[in-house]
Amino acid sequence: MHRRDAADPLRPFRARFALPDGIRYFDGNSLGALPVDTAAGIARTVTEEWGQGLVRSWNDADWIGAPQRVGAKIARLIGAQTHEVLVADSTSANLYKLLVAAVRARPGRRVILTEPGNFPTDLYIAQGVADLLPGIEVRSVPRERIADAIDATTAVLMLTHVHYKSGARFDMAALTRRAHDHGALALWDLSHSTGAVALDLRADQVDLAVGCGYKYLNGGPGAPAFLYVAEHLQATLSSPLTGWMGHAAGFRFEDDYAPAPGVSRFLCGTPPILGLSALETGVDLMLEADRAALFAKSEALTTLFIALVEQRCAGHGLALATPRDPAARGSHVSLRHAEAHAIMQALIARGVIGDFRAPDILRFGFTPLYVGYADVWHGVDILRDVLQTGEWRQARFQQRAAVT
Amino acid sequence: MHRRDAADPLRPFRARFALPDGIRYFDGNSLGALPVDTAAGIARTVTEEWGQGLVRSWNDADWIGAPQRVGAKIARLIGAQTHEVLVADSTSANLYKLLVAAVRARPGRRVILTEPGNFPTDLYIAQGVADLLPGIEVRSVPRERIADAIDATTAVLMLTHVHYKSGARFDMAALTRRAHDHGALALWDLSHSTGAVALDLRADQVDLAVGCGYKYLNGGPGAPAFLYVAEHLQATLSSPLTGWMGHAAGFRFEDDYAPAPGVSRFLCGTPPILGLSALETGVDLMLEADRAALFAKSEALTTLFIALVEQRCAGHGLALATPRDPAARGSHVSLRHAEAHAIMQALIARGVIGDFRAPDILRFGFTPLYVGYADVWHGVDILRDVLQTGEWRQARFQQRAAVT
C-alpha cells in the first residue's frame, strides 16, 4: 500500500464502498459511489417496510419523519442547527422554492444577483422566477466584481459555493456579510461543497442554502436534495410550492392552506422514501468520519493531483483551471485542454473515470472517503500515457449525457 | 378457493405481489403493495447500475431516458400518446407546474375553478399559485354546480377525477368539453383513477393531467408522479420550474434557459432513479394485465363489497358514502360512521387494512391486481365482528399519519 494511504485515518472507509475492480473513480462529485450498507438498507426498506409493513410504515418505520430526520443529519455536516435543514425534491425545485421565498421577503428589490457560468440549473431556475414575477430580473456579474455589484436593488445573492466546473470556492462568509450590509439575502448552492469542504452556515450567517444528495453524500442517482432556512427566517418566509406535506396539519385534510411552523413548510409532496433511505445510509456513513480529517484529505488529494499533473504531464497542452490555493477550491480539480472530450473518453476506456465539461474541461473529483493517494498516482500515470501515446486521437467516442 | 377467485382471469397476478400473511389489504389506493419483481429490480439498479456502472449508467442503463420511458408506459394506461406523459417530481409539484402553465396560457382569465373538499394538496397548490400570481383566484364550487360555474373568467378547471374520500367519479369528457366551450383548459388529477378505472385522455380531449405513482401503479412509497400535456399544447405551455432537465440542450451547460420541445420541458431536476426503477416495475406489471378485465374486476369487487356490507353489517350505523352506480365511482368504497377512526383501528388490529379519513370515513380500496373476492368476504366478516363485539370501544388507538 502507498505510504500515505497506509497512514490515512480515513483509509478504512474505502472498504465501506462497493467500488468496481479495475476502476479509479474520480467522479464522485457527479455521482458518489455506492456504500456497501446501502444495498441492505434499500432491501430492508423495500422488503420489510414496504412489503410487510405496507401503509403502516408511514408511522411504524417513521417514513413520515424522514425529511426532517435526514435533514437533521445533514445539518451536522454543514454547521446548521438540526431544525434548519430538510430533505425534499430536487436541488432545482428547492432552489425555486427558496428563491421565490427570498424575492417575496424583499419587496421593492428587483435583482437576483448571480454570476455568469453558475451551474446551469441555478441560472435557469432564477430566469424562470424572473419570468414569472413582475419586475424581478436576473443580473449576472463576473465573480471578481460581484461583491461590488451588491446594492440596494439586490433582493437575493444566489451563488454556488464551489463552482461545478472550475472548482473555485467563494468566500461565503464575506459575501454573505456584504449581502446583509445592503439588506439582501444570501442563498448558497452547496452541491459541490457538502461533504467536500468545511462548512459552517451558522458562523457565516447564511440565510438560505440548497444542496445535492448524490455527490459527496453518496445518496444514489437522483437522490433527493436538501434545503436550509436559517431559524430566524423560518417564520416569515413562505414556499410557493404549498403542498400538503408543508401544511401545519396535513393529515387533517382541511381545505385551506396554512404553513407548517419552521422549515417543514418547505416540504411539498409525499417524501420519496426509497431515495431517502439510500441517502440516509450515505449520510450516516459520512457522519462516521472525522470531519477535520475528511477536509484535510480533500486538500491533500487535490494538492497531490495538481503537483503530479504538473510534474508528469507537462508539455501536453494541459492548463490548470482550478485555483492553486486549497482554501479557494473544493474537492475537484479541472484541467483545460482543447481535446478534453476525447482525452476523457480515452481515460474512461482505461478505467480512469472523471468527466468532461464543455467546451474544454477535464474534471477530476477526489472524494476523501474512498479515493486514495495511490489512486491519484495511478490516475496521473494513465493520463500521461493517454497523452503520450495519443491514443485519444484514434478512439471514436460519442459525446453523451452525464449528470453534473 | 372462492368460486369467483377461481374464475378470475387476473388471479395469477396475486402471486406477483409480496403480500404479508394474515393481512387483507384494502389500502392499495393509499400505498400499493410490493410487486415481487421490484426487490430484484431495485437490487439490480443499486448494485449493478449504480455500484458497478457508476456515473456511466446515466447513458449505459439509460437512466437519463427514464422519465420519458416510464411516462410512455403510463400513457398506455390512460389513453394518452407515448410522447404526452413523463414521470417527474411529486403530484403536488407537477400540479404546480401545470397549473401555472395553464393560467399563463389564458391571460385575462382569473379563475382556477375547483371543488371544496378536493384533495387537500390540490387545493393548497392552487391557493399557492393564486397567492403568487397577481389577479388569480381559486374558486371552489360544489360538484353538482361546477359545470354551470365554468364561464369566460375560468382559466382552468382543476378537478380530481375520482374523489380520494367518497370515491365519486366525475364525467371527465363532459366537464372537459364544457371547459373548452368556454375557452378554459381542463386539468385532471388522476391519482385515484390510474390503474383503477378506464381512462381515455385522447378521446376525452383532456388538456392536462397529473397522477400518483404509489397507489394503483404500485410504485412504492413516495414514488415519483406523472404528468400529461396534450400534444397540441406542448409547444405553447411553459413550466415555471425551469430546471436543467427541461432545457432544450441541458448538457451543453449554456447560461440561458430554452425549453425542450415537447413534454420534456416539464422536467426539472435530476431524475430520481431508485424511485423510477421501482415505479417502472409496477407499471410493467400492470401492463401485463388485460385492461378490460382489470376495470371489470374493480367494478365487481366494489359492487360485492357494498352488497355484503349492506346485507351483513346492517343496523350498526354504517352509511354508504360512495356512489352506487359503478360508472360514477372509482375502485374504493367509503363508509360513514361516527366512530370510524376507532373502528378502522380495530380492523387493522385484526389484519384488515383500510384507512380512516377525517372526520367519519372508513375507506376500503380494492386493487384488482391482488385483491380477491374471498378477501372481500373475509373483510366484511371481520367488519361485522368488530361492530357486533364492539371491540373498537375497548381499544385505545392513537390517530396517526397515513399518506392518502
Side-chain angles (χ1 to χ4, degrees):
Chain A
M1 193 186 293
H2 188 280
R3 177 182 52 82
R4 294 182 71 180
D5 285 327
D8 174 11
L10 299 175
R11 184 70 186 178
F13 284 97
R14 186 185 178 86
R16 308 286 298 278
F17 288 87
L19 290 161
D21 293 335
I23 292 290
R24 255 70 178 191
Y25 194 57
F26 302 122
D27 214 4
N29 53 321
S30 176
L31 175 65
L34 168 66
V36 170
D37 290 346
T38 300
I42 280 281
R44 191 170 51 246
T45 300
V46 169
T47 308
E48 293 174 28
E49 294 177 8
W50 174 14
Q52 296 297 303
L54 290 161
V55 72
R56 297 168 293 190
S57 289
W58 283 109
N59 299 304
D60 297 347
D62 195 27
W63 286 349
I64 200 70
Q68 291 87 351
R69 185 179 69 245
V70 184
K73 292 178 178 185
I74 293 172
R76 295 166 55 193
L77 296 172
I78 62 176
Q81 299 181 90
T82 51
H83 59 281
E84 292 177 319
V85 181
L86 55 80
V87 173
D89 301 308
S90 63
T91 309
S92 300
N94 288 339
L95 198 57
Y96 180 87
K97 289 185 276 188
L98 296 188
L99 208 45
V100 170
V103 163
R104 298 173 92 188
R106 288 293 179 272
R109 290 166 177 256
R110 68 174 191 276
V111 174
I112 298 169
L113 183 62
T114 189
E115 65 161 338
N118 191 353
F119 188 70
T121 211
D122 299 57
L123 296 175
Y124 302 159
I125 289 289
Q127 290 162 19
V129 171
D131 191 47
L132 189 68
L133 301 182
I136 300 300
E137 65 187 70
V138 180
R139 192 172 162 220
S140 291
V141 173
R143 58 172 50 208
E144 60 277 11
R145 299 208 313 267
I146 205 143
D148 292 334
I150 301 168
D151 63 23
T153 68
T154 311
V156 54
L157 174 66
M158 178 195 81
L159 292 172
T160 301
H161 181 226
V162 170
H163 194 275
Y164 78 102
K165 203 150 66 172
S166 72
R169 192 195 321 180
F170 277 114
D171 184 335
M172 190 154 65
L175 281 163
T176 298
R177 201 161 46 237
R178 183 92 184 176
H180 291 172
D181 287 347
H182 291 270
L185 293 168
L187 194 177
W188 291 93
D189 183 338
L190 307 177
S191 291
H192 285 271
S193 315
T194 309
V197 298
L199 291 167
D200 194 340
L201 269 58
R202 288 290 288 173
D204 292 351
Q205 298 190 277
V206 169
D207 301 300
L208 304 164
V210 297
C212 175
Y214 55 78
K215 299 179 185 297
Y216 295 95
L217 297 182
N218 305 303
F226 68 87
L227 63 81
Y228 155 94
V229 179
E231 185 185 65
H232 74 279
L233 289 169
Q234 291 178 358
T236 49
L237 294 191
S238 58
S239 173
L241 285 167
T242 47
W244 66 321
M245 290 292 144
H247 193 276
F251 292 100
R252 283 207 211 124
F253 295 89
E254 294 164 351
D255 272 10
D256 291 323
Y257 178 73
V263 72
S264 294
R265 66 180 56 181
F266 285 95
L267 288 175
C268 179
T270 306
I273 297 303
L274 302 189
L276 276 156
S277 167
L279 177 59
E280 186 162 17
T281 304
V283 171
D284 282 342
L285 184 53
M286 179 150 287
L287 285 172
E288 287 185 41
D290 177 74
R291 240 110 55 222
L294 205 64
F295 305 136
K297 189 177 167 191
S298 284
E299 186 175 320
L301 291 170
T302 50
T303 300
L304 175 64
F305 179 76
I306 292 170
L308 290 178
V309 165
E310 296 194 332
Q311 286 161 26
R312 298 164 70 82
C313 303
H316 289 290
L318 291 172
L320 182 65
T322 295
R324 249 169 234 288
D325 174 8
R329 67 174 181 251
S331 200
H332 69 270
V333 174
S334 290
L335 306 173
R336 212 175 284 285
H337 192 288
E339 298 294 341
H341 182 259
I343 293 168
M344 183 50 74
Q345 293 302 311
L347 284 172
I348 292 171
R350 296 276 295 265
V352 174
I353 302 183
D355 58 28
F356 164 75
R357 284 294 171 267
D360 60 354
I361 293 285
L362 293 150
R363 191 174 68 158
F364 300 87
F366 301 92
T367 307
L369 277 184
Y370 53 79
V371 173
Y373 296 90
D375 295 322
V376 176
W377 277 89
H378 182 86
V380 175
D381 279 351
I382 301 292
L383 174 60
R384 187 179 57 174
D385 257 24
V386 161
L387 292 167
Q388 285 183 345
T389 60
E391 65 196 70
W392 55 270
R393 292 178 206 275
Q394 283 81 51
R396 298 196 322 165
F397 300 107
Q398 288 189 318
Q399 184 164 344
R400 304 197 297 179
V403 171
T404 176
Chain B
M1 193 187 293
H2 188 281
R3 177 182 52 80
R4 293 182 72 179
D5 285 328
D8 174 10
L10 298 175
R11 185 69 186 178
F13 284 96
R14 187 184 178 86
R16 308 287 298 278
F17 288 87
L19 291 161
D21 293 335
I23 292 291
R24 257 69 179 192
Y25 194 56
F26 301 123
D27 214 4
N29 53 320
S30 176
L31 175 65
L34 169 65
V36 170
D37 291 346
T38 299
I42 279 281
R44 191 170 52 246
T45 299
V46 169
T47 308
E48 293 174 28
E49 295 177 7
W50 175 14
Q52 296 296 303
L54 289 161
V55 72
R56 298 168 293 190
S57 289
W58 283 109
N59 299 305
D60 297 347
D62 195 28
W63 286 348
I64 200 69
Q68 291 87 353
R69 184 179 69 245
V70 184
K73 292 178 178 184
I74 293 172
R76 294 166 54 193
L77 296 172
I78 63 175
Q81 300 181 88
T82 52
H83 59 281
E84 291 177 320
V85 181
L86 56 80
V87 174
D89 302 308
S90 63
T91 309
S92 301
N94 288 338
L95 198 57
Y96 180 86
K97 290 185 274 187
L98 296 189
L99 208 44
V100 170
V103 164
R104 298 173 92 188
R106 289 292 179 274
R109 289 166 176 256
R110 68 175 191 275
V111 174
I112 297 169
L113 185 62
T114 189
E115 64 161 340
N118 191 352
F119 188 70
T121 211
D122 298 58
L123 296 175
Y124 302 158
I125 289 288
Q127 289 161 22
V129 170
D131 191 46
L132 190 68
L133 301 182
I136 301 300
E137 65 187 71
V138 179
R139 193 172 161 216
S140 292
V141 174
R143 58 174 49 208
E144 60 277 11
R145 299 208 313 268
I146 205 143
D148 291 335
I150 302 167
D151 62 24
T153 68
T154 311
V156 54
L157 174 67
M158 178 195 81
L159 293 171
T160 300
H161 181 227
V162 170
H163 194 274
Y164 79 101
K165 202 149 67 173
S166 71
R169 192 194 321 179
F170 276 115
D171 185 335
M172 189 153 65
L175 281 163
T176 299
R177 200 161 46 238
R178 183 92 184 176
H180 291 173
D181 287 348
H182 291 270
L185 293 168
L187 193 176
W188 291 93
D189 183 339
L190 307 177
S191 291
H192 284 271
S193 315
T194 309
V197 299
L199 291 168
D200 194 340
L201 270 58
R202 288 290 288 175
D204 293 351
Q205 297 189 279
V206 169
D207 301 300
L208 303 163
V210 298
C212 175
Y214 54 77
K215 299 178 185 298
Y216 294 97
L217 297 181
N218 305 305
F226 68 87
L227 63 82
Y228 155 94
V229 179
E231 184 184 66
H232 74 278
L233 290 168
Q234 292 178 358
T236 48
L237 295 191
S238 58
S239 174
L241 285 168
T242 47
W244 66 322
M245 291 291 145
H247 193 277
F251 291 99
R252 282 207 212 125
F253 294 88
E254 295 164 349
D255 273 9
D256 292 323
Y257 178 72
V263 73
S264 295
R265 65 180 56 182
F266 285 94
L267 287 175
C268 179
T270 306
I273 297 303
L274 302 189
L276 276 156
S277 167
L279 177 58
E280 186 161 18
T281 304
V283 172
D284 282 343
L285 183 54
M286 180 150 286
L287 285 172
E288 286 185 41
D290 177 75
R291 241 111 53 221
L294 205 64
F295 305 135
K297 189 178 169 192
S298 284
E299 186 174 320
L301 291 171
T302 51
T303 300
L304 175 64
F305 180 76
I306 293 170
L308 289 178
V309 166
E310 296 194 332
Q311 286 161 26
R312 298 162 70 82
C313 304
H316 289 290
L318 290 173
L320 182 65
T322 295
R324 247 169 236 290
D325 174 9
R329 67 173 182 252
S331 200
H332 68 269
V333 174
S334 290
L335 305 172
R336 211 175 285 283
H337 192 289
E339 298 294 341
H341 182 260
I343 292 168
M344 183 51 73
Q345 293 303 313
L347 285 172
I348 292 172
R350 296 277 294 266
V352 174
I353 302 183
D355 58 28
F356 163 74
R357 284 295 171 266
D360 61 353
I361 293 284
L362 293 151
R363 192 174 69 157
F364 300 87
F366 301 91
T367 307
L369 277 183
Y370 53 79
V371 173
Y373 295 91
D375 295 322
V376 176
W377 277 89
H378 182 86
V380 175
D381 279 351
I382 301 291
L383 175 59
R384 188 179 55 174
D385 257 23
V386 162
L387 292 167
Q388 286 182 343
T389 61
E391 64 196 70
W392 56 269
R393 294 179 205 273
Q394 282 80 51
R396 299 196 322 163
F397 299 106
Q398 287 189 318
Q399 184 163 345
R400 302 197 296 178
V403 172
T404 174

